[in-house]
Amino acid sequence: WDKTRNKEAKYAKPRKVFCYVARELGWTFMSIAFFVGCKHESVISQCNSFAAMLDDWDDYQARFGEVFEKLEV
């Protein structure tokens, strides 16, 4: 997996979802940052900005609903 920083929406939005889900599953900000390849401050920001994505929840549930169901988040 190429951990180079990519701000394109097709990468940024799923990264936000991953950060949020990982945090909900008990991962530390540092462990998420290590996995994603960024600073822990960026992970905090990703988790906080996930709330803004919830405004468009129907689209995300259609795309990521199966993942959430399997993780029981």
Side-chain angles (χ1 to χ4, degrees), residues 11-49:
Y11 299 109
K13 290 180 180 180
R15 185 169 41 239
K16 285 180 193 240
V17 173
F18 172 80
C19 290
Y20 178 81
V21 171
R23 186 68 182 150
E24 288 293 308
L25 292 174
W27 289 34
T28 65
F29 290 121
M30 292 296 289
S31 62
I32 298 167
F34 179 78
F35 184 81
V36 174
C38 66
K39 296 179 180 180
H40 80 280
E41 296 92 345
S42 297
V43 174
I44 293 169
S45 176
Q46 298 286 337
C47 291
N48 290 339
S49 67

Side-chain angles (χ1 to χ4, degrees), residues 17 50 53-70 73:
V17 173
F50 184 77
M53 291 174 58
L54 294 178
D55 292 339
D56 199 16
W57 180 245
D58 291 336
D59 177 49
Y60 288 99
Q61 189 166 1
R63 294 168 65 189
F64 302 110
E66 185 176 318
V67 172
F68 283 112
E69 289 173 11
K70 288 181 180 178
V73 171

